[in-house]
Amino acid sequence: MFKRTCLAVVVMIAATGAQAQTAPWMNTALSPDQRADLIVAELTRAEKLVLVHGYFGDDVIINPHYPPPPDAIRKALPRAAGYIPGIPRLGIPAQLETDASLGVSNQRHMRPGDTATALPATLLTASSWNPQLAFQVGSVVGQETRDKGFNILLNGGVDLARDPRNGRNFEYAGEDPLLAGSVVGEAIRGAQSRHIISTAKHYAVNDQEIGRDWLSSNLGEKAMRESDLLAFEIAIEKGAPGSIMCAYNRVNGVYSCESDFLLNKVLKGDWGYPGYVMSDWGGVHSTTRAALAGLDQESAFEFDRDDYFGAALNAALDGPDGAALQARLDNMVHRILRSLFAAGLFDDPPVAGASDVEAHGAVAQAAAEEGIVLLKNARGLLPLMAGAKRIAVIGGHADIGVLSGGGSAQVMPVGNAPEQEILVGGAAQDASGKSRIPREKMIYDPPSPLAAIKAEALGKVVFDDGSDLAHAAATARGADVAIVFVERWQREGIDTPDITLPGNQDALIAAVAKANKRVIVVLETGNPVAMPWLENVGAVLEAWYPGNRGATAIARILFGKVNPSGRLPITFPQSLEQLPRPVVPGRDLRQPDNRWTPNETLFDVDYSLEGADIGYKWFAAKKLTPLFPFGHGLSYTTFAFSGLSVSGSEVSFDVRNTGKRAGKAVGQVYAATPVAGERLVAFGKVELKPGETKHITLTLDPRLLASFDVAAQMWRVAAGDYAFRLGASAAETSATATVHLEASTIKP
Ligand code: BGC
């Protein structure tokens, strides 16, 4: 036995040695950059062009001017969101890209019958305030990416929630750069731990969907560095994503994918990012400009107006900018290959096979159980006693599943069945008379909340679909407790005009609350919503889009098997009037059919109104009281925070469980600098038994105590007194400390 093992080892070493001789870049002792250099030296110009030019992986070729990709590519299953051919003679693998904000996506059933674990929405993972959990979620998505034979994941949405109507907020991690950057960074690190490339997107300030191809996000550099860019900076530091996706929108008038400031200066220069920048699908608008500004790869060229990094780049290489473009082309392929090596795509290529959906479901459930937020719980209505004799479950399609978000992130969940798909769209019209919502399906993730509640309850559980208010009220009247499920569907490409629950849902809750004193509302939404009925209901649970095990998590929280520990990553406003922009900019402009429409459709969004003061910072600056503040979330136990102390780069405090149940507390430390308002500077989640006290020490990131000095191009900590505040949310104070800091600077 021993001999045989030795022989096998010798054979392996010999094979590796031979491979290293013919393919020296396969020597794992070399750095990714050294390995990339070796292989780039072997590439012909034509091969380099292959690597920077992506195809759409779907069969739908939307640009009539270009032929579909060659047959070889079409056969390269699994069908992907994007495809870049490999170079077989050098062993360079094809790049097979899939979307995966919430699990490996399969929008429009591109791969019929192919399902994946639907993880909770990123907004929910952010609500856990637990970056370690985000790592686990990321590694599940990474593993399923491998299992399906993809090697590049288009996840990592870290745009900040400037607007609670943004159709993609569910794909992002809320309004705060520290929280969002930490959560998304860990999700990226988790995904890449499975030896695939993970992406951070959409760089940058892609903060609304309406007119995303035509709008310019306008704000000054200082504010941008302290908000949207800081979220990316933190996520990139923590996650080291192999790729960054530049966004559709322009920033201060320049397309993100041809912004020298965003790509060359900030990302690759100041932050020293070594990976590559891929475009969003249809986000390229030029060849030489984009290439010289720092774009490394054109994704799915069929979505662009021209074949910018294909035939056009080939021609430009022989033109007046040829020398600069040649240097860029070498650097583009170096960056791409470097990321392929760094993530392990050469050394440990994915092998398609079945996913362990049971184990992955357990992670999905753990995430949902930590991220669902208990917003209100009057007179201890929750947790429910298993013995309640009659429970009415009403509305929200609670008999089929939990809602998921739509667009490129759409996952076809494990257990998907036709009755869990509801056709929507074609209804809302814009000024041109066209539908704003394409006809597509809302997908509900099984199991159903009704089934999950039945599994927990000892008494009778009845269901009413909520379509008839009088009937629903009668159902509620006859029950010990009524659980009303309400929902708001969001999808990529569309922002909602308001924060109101659609249809008759507000009226439904009001009618049920009149009929029964014990009403629990469960929200399945991709954003904050207004709650005109809040005073009349006993409890409210924000479940966001909780994924494949979401219903189980909801039921276990309702019945007290799980003590809720989610905290809001986004402020719930009382009304639209409290927002910097009560109307979504561009809402009333004609929305053209495709992104190639010329200049007259361009418009500006003025983000300098709030600048870096997004969400709770805006509410504090304007002295507005939200419906629920950032960081808010209740537990079935109570916690006491005390003893805040700041020393050097550390902040510490005590947290004690003062209630009767074990639970998880989230300590949130905010600080006001001498020159600016409060921001979250540290947070930590900790589990405590009843009566237990723990001492928490957290590290402070000095950038969060600083302002960005644009003239000096560095972070500057002002000399003066810094007011630290410890609390259970942005609006609660448990302890304070004032610390004098001397002036200092930090290089970006
Ligand atoms: C989205 C990206 C996505 C890409 C590929 C685009 O429309 O903005 O987030 O990764 O499509 O599906």
Side-chain angles (χ1 to χ4, degrees), residues 586-601:
R587 169 106 217 138
D588 300 321
L589 297 178
R590 193 182 79 86
Q591 297 295 309
D593 278 341
N594 68 54
R595 52 180 63 87
W596 309 331
T597 312
N599 288 350
E600 71 266 21
T601 52

Side-chain angles (χ1 to χ4, degrees), residues 56 81-82 98-101 105 107 154-155 168 171-172 201-202 206 209 212 245 248 278-281 303 408-409 492 595:
F56 188 33
T98 181
D99 279 299
S101 296
S105 80
Q107 53 170 324
L154 311 173
N155 62 332
R168 290 191 100 167
E171 291 187 57
Y172 303 142
K201 69 187 188 185
H202 309 88
N206 185 179
E209 286 298 286
R212 64 185 184 178
M245 187 189 293
Y248 286 127
M278 65 165 78
S279 64
D280 201 344
W281 275 223
F303 283 64
S408 60
E492 177 184 341
R595 52 180 63 87

Side-chain angles (χ1 to χ4, degrees), residues 613-674:
D613 286 345
I614 303 177
Y616 66 93
K617 297 168 189 162
W618 166 262
F619 275 71
K622 297 286 162 192
K623 300 196 170 31
L624 296 166
T625 306
L627 186 63
F628 291 111
F630 173 83
H632 171 75
L634 304 173
S635 164
Y636 295 151
T637 188
T638 47
F639 301 103
F641 295 93
S642 60
L644 178 65
S645 110
V646 183
S647 118
S649 62
E650 286 190 340
V651 54
S652 62
F653 54 89
D654 288 331
V655 53
R656 179 174 160 77
N657 184 341
T658 50
K660 294 199 171 56
R661 281 172 180 262
K664 290 179 183 165
V666 180
Q668 304 168 31
V669 182
Y670 297 85
T673 79

